[in-house]
Coordinates of all heavy atoms in Angstrom, one line a residue:
E441 N -9.8 -15.5 -21.1 CA -10.0 -16.1 -19.8 C -9.5 -15.1 -18.7 O -8.8 -14.1 -18.9 CB -9.2 -17.4 -19.6 CG -7.7 -17.2 -19.4 CD -7.0 -18.6 -19.2 OE1 -7.7 -19.6 -19.2 OE2 -5.8 -18.5 -19.1
D442 N -10.0 -15.3 -17.5 CA -9.7 -14.4 -16.4 C -8.3 -14.5 -16.0 O -7.8 -15.6 -15.7 CB -10.6 -14.9 -15.2 CG -10.5 -13.9 -14.0 OD1 -9.9 -12.9 -14.2 OD2 -11.2 -14.2 -13.0
H443 N -7.6 -13.4 -16.1 CA -6.1 -13.4 -15.9 C -5.7 -13.2 -14.5 O -4.6 -13.1 -14.1 CB -5.4 -12.4 -16.8 CG -5.5 -12.7 -18.3 ND1 -4.7 -13.8 -18.8 CD2 -6.2 -12.3 -19.3 CE1 -5.0 -13.9 -20.1 NE2 -5.9 -13.0 -20.4
R444 N -6.7 -13.1 -13.6 CA -6.4 -12.9 -12.2 C -5.7 -14.1 -11.7 O -6.2 -15.2 -12.0 CB -7.7 -12.6 -11.4 CG -8.2 -11.2 -11.7 CD -9.5 -11.0 -10.9 NE -10.5 -11.9 -11.5 CZ -11.7 -12.0 -11.0 NH1 -12.1 -11.4 -10.0 NH2 -12.6 -12.8 -11.6
K445 N -4.8 -13.9 -10.9 CA -4.0 -15.1 -10.4 C -4.6 -15.4 -9.0 O -5.0 -14.5 -8.2 CB -2.5 -14.7 -10.2 CG -1.9 -14.3 -11.6 CD -0.5 -14.9 -11.6 CE 0.2 -14.6 -12.9 NZ -0.3 -13.9 -14.0
N446 N -4.6 -16.7 -8.7 CA -5.1 -17.1 -7.4 C -4.0 -16.6 -6.4 O -2.8 -16.8 -6.6 CB -5.2 -18.6 -7.3 CG -6.4 -19.1 -8.1 OD1 -7.3 -18.3 -8.4 ND2 -6.4 -20.3 -8.5
E447 N -4.5 -16.1 -5.3 CA -3.6 -15.6 -4.3 C -3.0 -16.9 -3.5 O -3.8 -17.7 -3.1 CB -4.3 -14.7 -3.3 CG -4.7 -13.4 -4.0 CD -3.6 -12.5 -4.5 OE1 -2.5 -12.5 -3.8 OE2 -3.8 -11.9 -5.5
T448 N -1.7 -16.9 -3.3 CA -1.1 -17.9 -2.5 C -0.8 -17.4 -1.1 O -0.8 -16.2 -0.9 CB 0.2 -18.4 -3.2 OG1 1.1 -17.4 -3.2 CG2 -0.1 -18.9 -4.6
G449 N -0.5 -18.2 -0.2 CA 0.0 -17.8 1.1 C 1.2 -16.9 1.0 O 1.3 -15.9 1.7
E450 N 2.1 -17.3 0.1 CA 3.3 -16.5 -0.1 C 3.0 -15.1 -0.6 O 3.6 -14.1 0.0 CB 4.3 -17.2 -1.0 CG 5.6 -16.5 -1.2 CD 6.5 -17.3 -2.2 OE1 6.0 -18.2 -2.9 OE2 7.7 -16.9 -2.3
S451 N 2.2 -15.0 -1.6 CA 1.9 -13.7 -2.1 C 1.1 -12.8 -1.1 O 1.3 -11.6 -1.0 CB 1.1 -13.7 -3.4 OG -0.2 -14.3 -3.2
D452 N 0.2 -13.5 -0.3 CA -0.4 -12.7 0.8 C 0.6 -12.2 1.8 O 0.5 -11.0 2.2 CB -1.4 -13.6 1.5 CG -2.7 -13.9 0.7 OD1 -2.9 -13.1 -0.3 OD2 -3.4 -14.8 1.0
L453 N 1.5 -13.0 2.2 CA 2.5 -12.6 3.1 C 3.4 -11.4 2.6 O 3.6 -10.5 3.3 CB 3.4 -13.8 3.5 CG 4.5 -13.5 4.6 CD1 3.9 -13.1 5.9 CD2 5.4 -14.7 4.7
L454 N 3.8 -11.6 1.3 CA 4.6 -10.5 0.7 C 3.8 -9.2 0.6 O 4.3 -8.1 0.9 CB 5.0 -10.9 -0.7 CG 6.1 -12.0 -0.8 CD1 6.3 -12.4 -2.2 CD2 7.4 -11.4 -0.2
K455 N 2.5 -9.3 0.3 CA 1.7 -8.1 0.3 C 1.6 -7.4 1.7 O 1.7 -6.2 1.8 CB 0.3 -8.4 -0.2 CG 0.0 -8.1 -1.6 CD -1.5 -8.2 -1.9 CE -1.7 -9.0 -3.1 NZ -3.1 -9.2 -3.4
Q456 N 1.4 -8.3 2.7 CA 1.3 -7.7 4.1 C 2.6 -7.1 4.5 O 2.5 -6.0 5.1 CB 1.0 -8.9 5.0 CG -0.5 -9.3 5.0 CD -0.7 -10.5 6.0 OE1 0.2 -11.3 6.2 NE2 -1.9 -10.6 6.6
E457 N 3.7 -7.7 4.2 CA 5.0 -7.1 4.5 C 5.2 -5.8 3.8 O 5.6 -4.8 4.3 CB 6.1 -8.0 4.1 CG 6.2 -9.2 5.1 CD 7.3 -10.2 4.6 OE1 8.0 -10.0 3.6 OE2 7.5 -11.3 5.3
S458 N 4.8 -5.7 2.5 CA 4.9 -4.5 1.7 C 4.0 -3.4 2.3 O 4.4 -2.2 2.4 CB 4.6 -4.7 0.3 OG 5.6 -5.5 -0.3
M459 N 2.8 -3.7 2.7 CA 1.9 -2.7 3.2 C 2.5 -2.2 4.5 O 2.4 -1.0 4.8 CB 0.5 -3.4 3.5 CG -0.2 -3.7 2.2 SD -0.6 -2.3 1.2 CE -2.0 -1.6 2.2
E460 N 3.0 -3.1 5.3 CA 3.6 -2.6 6.6 C 4.8 -1.7 6.4 O 4.9 -0.7 7.1 CB 4.1 -3.9 7.4 CG 4.4 -3.6 8.9 CD 3.4 -2.9 9.7 OE1 2.2 -3.2 9.5 OE2 3.7 -1.9 10.4
K461 N 5.7 -2.0 5.4 CA 6.8 -1.2 5.1 C 6.3 0.2 4.6 O 6.9 1.2 4.9 CB 7.7 -1.8 4.0 CG 8.5 -2.9 4.5 CD 9.4 -3.5 3.4 CE 10.2 -4.7 3.9 NZ 11.0 -5.2 2.8
A462 N 5.2 0.2 3.8 CA 4.7 1.4 3.3 C 4.1 2.3 4.4 O 4.3 3.5 4.4 CB 3.6 1.1 2.2
R463 N 3.4 1.7 5.4 CA 2.9 2.4 6.5 C 4.0 3.0 7.3 O 3.9 4.2 7.7 CB 2.0 1.5 7.4 CG 0.7 1.3 6.8 CD -0.2 0.5 7.9 NE -1.2 -0.2 7.2 CZ -1.2 -1.6 6.9 NH1 -0.1 -2.2 7.4 NH2 -2.1 -2.2 6.3
E464 N 5.1 2.2 7.6 CA 6.2 2.7 8.3 C 6.9 3.9 7.6 O 7.2 4.9 8.2 CB 7.2 1.6 8.6 CG 6.7 0.5 9.5 CD 6.3 1.1 10.9 OE1 7.1 1.9 11.5 OE2 5.3 0.7 11.4
A465 N 7.1 3.8 6.3 CA 7.7 4.8 5.5 C 6.8 6.1 5.5 O 7.3 7.2 5.6 CB 8.0 4.3 4.1
L466 N 5.5 5.9 5.4 CA 4.6 7.0 5.4 C 4.7 7.8 6.7 O 4.7 9.1 6.7 CB 3.2 6.5 5.2 CG 2.1 7.6 5.0 CD1 2.4 8.4 3.7 CD2 0.7 6.9 4.9
K467 N 4.9 7.1 7.8 CA 5.0 7.8 9.1 C 6.3 8.7 9.2 O 6.3 9.7 9.9 CB 5.0 6.8 10.2 CG 3.7 6.1 10.5 CD 3.8 5.1 11.6 CE 2.6 4.3 11.7 NZ 2.8 3.2 12.7
K468 N 7.3 8.3 8.4 CA 8.6 9.0 8.4 C 8.6 10.2 7.5 O 9.5 11.1 7.6 CB 9.7 8.1 8.0 CG 9.9 6.9 9.0 CD 11.0 6.0 8.5 CE 11.2 4.8 9.4 NZ 12.1 3.8 8.9
L469 N 7.6 10.4 6.7 CA 7.5 11.6 5.8 C 7.1 12.8 6.6 O 6.4 12.7 7.6 CB 6.5 11.3 4.7 CG 6.8 10.2 3.6 CD1 5.7 10.1 2.6 CD2 8.1 10.5 2.9
P470 N 7.5 14.0 6.1 CA 7.0 15.2 6.7 C 5.5 15.3 6.5 O 4.9 14.7 5.6 CB 7.7 16.3 5.8 CG 8.8 15.7 5.2 CD 8.5 14.2 5.0
S471 N 4.8 15.9 7.4 CA 3.3 15.9 7.5 C 2.7 16.5 6.2 O 1.7 16.0 5.7 CB 2.8 16.7 8.7 OG 3.2 18.1 8.6
K472 N 3.4 17.5 5.5 CA 2.8 18.0 4.3 C 2.7 16.9 3.2 O 1.9 16.9 2.3 CB 3.5 19.3 3.8 CG 4.9 19.1 3.4 CD 5.5 20.4 3.0 CE 6.9 20.2 2.5 NZ 7.5 21.5 2.0
F473 N 3.7 16.0 3.2 CA 3.7 14.9 2.2 C 2.8 13.8 2.6 O 2.1 13.2 1.8 CB 5.2 14.4 2.0 CG 6.1 15.3 1.4 CD1 7.5 15.2 1.5 CD2 5.7 16.4 0.6 CE1 8.4 16.1 0.9 CE2 6.6 17.2 -0.1 CZ 7.9 17.1 0.1
Q474 N 2.7 13.6 3.9 CA 1.8 12.5 4.4 C 0.3 12.9 4.0 O -0.4 12.1 3.5 CB 1.8 12.4 5.9 CG 3.0 11.7 6.4 CD 3.0 11.6 8.0 OE1 1.9 11.6 8.6 NE2 4.2 11.4 8.6
E475 N 0.0 14.2 4.2 CA -1.4 14.6 3.9 C -1.8 14.4 2.5 O -2.8 13.8 2.2 CB -1.5 16.1 4.2 CG -1.5 16.5 5.6 CD -1.4 18.0 5.8 OE1 -0.9 18.7 4.9 OE2 -2.0 18.5 6.8
V476 N -0.9 14.8 1.5 CA -1.3 14.7 0.1 C -1.3 13.2 -0.3 O -2.2 12.9 -1.1 CB -0.3 15.5 -0.8 CG1 -0.5 17.0 -0.6 CG2 1.1 15.1 -0.7
L477 N -0.4 12.4 0.2 CA -0.4 11.0 -0.2 C -1.7 10.3 0.3 O -2.3 9.5 -0.4 CB 0.8 10.3 0.3 CG 2.0 10.2 -0.7 CD1 3.1 9.4 -0.1 CD2 1.6 9.7 -2.0
I478 N -2.0 10.5 1.6 CA -3.2 9.9 2.2 C -4.4 10.3 1.4 O -5.3 9.5 1.1 CB -3.3 10.2 3.7 CG1 -2.1 9.5 4.4 CG2 -4.6 9.8 4.2 CD1 -2.0 9.9 5.9
L479 N -4.6 11.6 1.1 CA -5.8 12.1 0.4 C -5.8 11.5 -1.0 O -6.9 11.1 -1.5 CB -5.8 13.6 0.4 CG -6.0 14.3 1.7 CD1 -5.9 15.8 1.6 CD2 -7.4 13.9 2.3
R480 N -4.7 11.4 -1.7 CA -4.6 10.9 -3.0 C -4.8 9.4 -3.1 O -5.6 8.9 -3.9 CB -3.3 11.3 -3.7 CG -3.1 10.8 -5.1 CD -4.0 11.5 -6.0 NE -3.9 11.0 -7.4 CZ -4.8 10.8 -8.2 NH1 -6.0 11.3 -8.0 NH2 -4.6 10.3 -9.4
E481 N -4.0 8.7 -2.3 CA -4.0 7.2 -2.4 C -5.1 6.5 -1.7 O -5.6 5.5 -2.1 CB -2.7 6.6 -2.0 CG -1.5 7.2 -2.7 CD -1.5 6.9 -4.2 OE1 -2.1 5.9 -4.6 OE2 -0.9 7.7 -5.0
Y482 N -5.5 7.0 -0.5 CA -6.5 6.3 0.3 C -7.9 7.0 0.2 O -8.9 6.3 0.5 CB -6.0 6.3 1.8 CG -4.7 5.5 1.9 CD1 -3.5 6.2 2.2 CD2 -4.7 4.2 1.6 CE1 -2.3 5.5 2.2 CE2 -3.5 3.5 1.7 CZ -2.3 4.2 2.0 OH -1.1 3.5 2.1
S483 N -8.0 8.2 -0.1 CA -9.3 8.9 -0.2 C -9.8 9.0 -1.7 O -10.8 9.5 -1.9 CB -9.3 10.3 0.4 OG -8.9 10.1 1.8
D484 N -8.9 8.6 -2.6 CA -9.2 8.7 -4.0 C -9.6 10.1 -4.5 O -10.5 10.2 -5.3 CB -10.2 7.7 -4.4 CG -9.7 6.3 -4.5 OD1 -8.5 6.1 -4.8 OD2 -10.4 5.3 -4.2
M485 N -9.0 11.1 -3.9 CA -9.4 12.5 -4.3 C -8.5 12.9 -5.5 O -7.3 12.5 -5.5 CB -9.2 13.4 -3.1 CG -10.1 13.2 -1.9 SD -9.7 14.2 -0.5 CE -10.6 15.7 -1.0

């Protein structure tokens, strides 16, 4: 059976909060680290 879980409002909120924390932390990294992470994680290179 499909093991995907239905998203709840709580899990959506937790995901949004985590994404926001990740964006804030990414901004605090040195630019050479920001570049490689963005290219690897968001550009799938």
Side-chain angles (χ1 to χ4, degrees):
E441 78 180 356
D442 189 1
H443 290 291
R444 289 178 290 179
K445 301 217 177 3
N446 291 337
E447 296 296 324
T448 63
E450 183 182 9
S451 64
D452 285 343
L453 183 62
L454 288 171
K455 257 194 233 177
Q456 283 178 328
E457 288 176 2
S458 292
M459 292 295 286
E460 190 56 40
K461 285 181 183 179
R463 281 190 209 100
E464 292 300 317
L466 187 62
K467 289 178 188 174
K468 294 178 184 174
L469 292 178
S471 63
K472 67 180 183 177
F473 291 156
Q474 284 181 25
E475 290 173 329
V476 291
L477 267 186
I478 290 170
L479 291 173
R480 178 71 183 144
E481 302 300 332
Y482 300 109
S483 300
D484 287 329
M485 296 176 83

